[in-house]
Amino acid sequence: MFNDISSPLALLHTRRSGKPRDMIGPGPDADQLHAILAAAIRVPDHGKLAPWRFVIVRADQRAALAGLLTDAYRAEKPEAGRLEIEAMEQFAHQAPSLVVALSSPVAGSKIPVWEQELSAGAAIMNLLNAAHASGFVGGWLTGWAAYSDAVRDAFGTADERIAGFVFLGSPSREMEERPRPDFETVVREWTK
Ligand SMILES: Cc1cc2nc3c(=O)[nH]c(=O)nc-3n(C[C@H](O)[C@H](O)[C@H](O)COP(=O)(O)O)c2cc1C
């Protein structure tokens, strides 16, 4: 592993996303994935609504996922070329493990949907940090499939949205750090 997780804060300082297309095995086994998801759902949640769901796509279901994505893509874009279809297949097959994260806001709640969506994002962030803490690398992707109603219907209901496809695995090589925002640009003291 290329991750320095010698202290809890170092864990957070060193987390970075992996490119799902570059991930190799091992991914988390069933017990490890359970522990990662148990951490994901331990998240701030105004109103205790649990406005998120996680759907595990097993390794033996990746071909079915590829069929779902390519069928949905062709239905929406009948003129789709071979490269676009291959991109859908690659998306479905990449990385050892996949969890589809859904934003599942509770309709009619006095808690604004915005806050429920924030909780969903926080849960995915917990998932990524828990994966890192477990020695794996994660990647949070959306892309065309996340905004397809047909794909959404295969994982959830019309009231839900795909918040992300979260791929998990091991890095195939040392991961490069990306430029991070300048601290002073994004953090300041209030000057009133
Ligand atoms: C909601 C959301 C959707 C994303 N979708 C994509 C995506 O479809 N493709 C992609 O390359 N990166 C996507 N990203 C960015 C990566 O998940 C990741 O943030 C980026 O590679 C930087 O990695 P870092 O976590 O090390 O900062 C998305 C991020 C978020 C928050």
Side-chain angles (χ1 to χ4, degrees), residues 6-189:
S6 52
S7 78
L9 197 53
L11 178 91
L12 297 176
H13 282 162
T14 56
R15 187 213 58 83
R16 66 194 68 164
S17 294
K19 288 188 172 63
R21 66 172 174 270
D22 292 339
M23 289 179 196
I24 58 174
D29 64 23
D31 288 345
Q32 289 170 317
L33 187 56
H34 188 285
I36 289 168
L37 289 168
I41 65 175
R42 193 181 168 87
V43 69
D45 168 13
H46 194 178
K48 303 184 189 67
L49 299 172
W52 14 258
R53 295 289 182 271
F54 296 93
V55 183
I56 299 166
V57 180
R58 294 192 317 268
D60 64 356
Q61 295 174 312
R62 293 299 191 95
L65 176 63
L68 167 70
L69 297 192
T70 53
D71 286 352
Y73 196 83
R74 281 199 186 94
E76 192 173 304
K77 300 173 189 276
E79 75 291 352
R82 180 176 57 82
L83 291 179
E84 290 166 86
I85 297 303
E86 284 177 4
M88 287 296 128
E89 288 170 344
Q90 184 279 331
F91 187 94
H93 284 289
Q94 64 192 338
S97 303
L98 169 59
V99 175
V100 181
L102 299 169
S103 167
S104 307
V106 175
S109 168
K110 66 178 176 16
I111 307 301
V113 168
W114 161 238
E115 296 190 20
Q116 300 186 47
E117 291 171 341
L118 288 173
S119 183
I124 297 175
M125 195 64 244
N126 260 9
L127 197 171
L128 292 174
N129 279 324
H132 180 47
S134 306
F136 299 105
V137 66
W140 176 356
L141 302 186
T142 47
W144 175 86
Y147 297 96
S148 158
D149 287 350
V151 177
R152 188 270 324 282
D153 289 346
F155 289 101
T157 68
D159 299 328
E160 297 180 305
R161 300 182 75 179
I162 294 177
F165 295 89
V166 185
F167 293 92
L168 303 170
S170 299
S172 52
R173 54 192 156 83
E174 188 148 8
M175 295 191 316
E176 291 166 17
E177 180 59 305
R178 72 170 173 94
R180 296 289 163 180
D182 178 49
F183 186 91
E184 277 69 32
T185 301
V186 296
V187 181
R188 61 182 168 84
E189 287 184 10

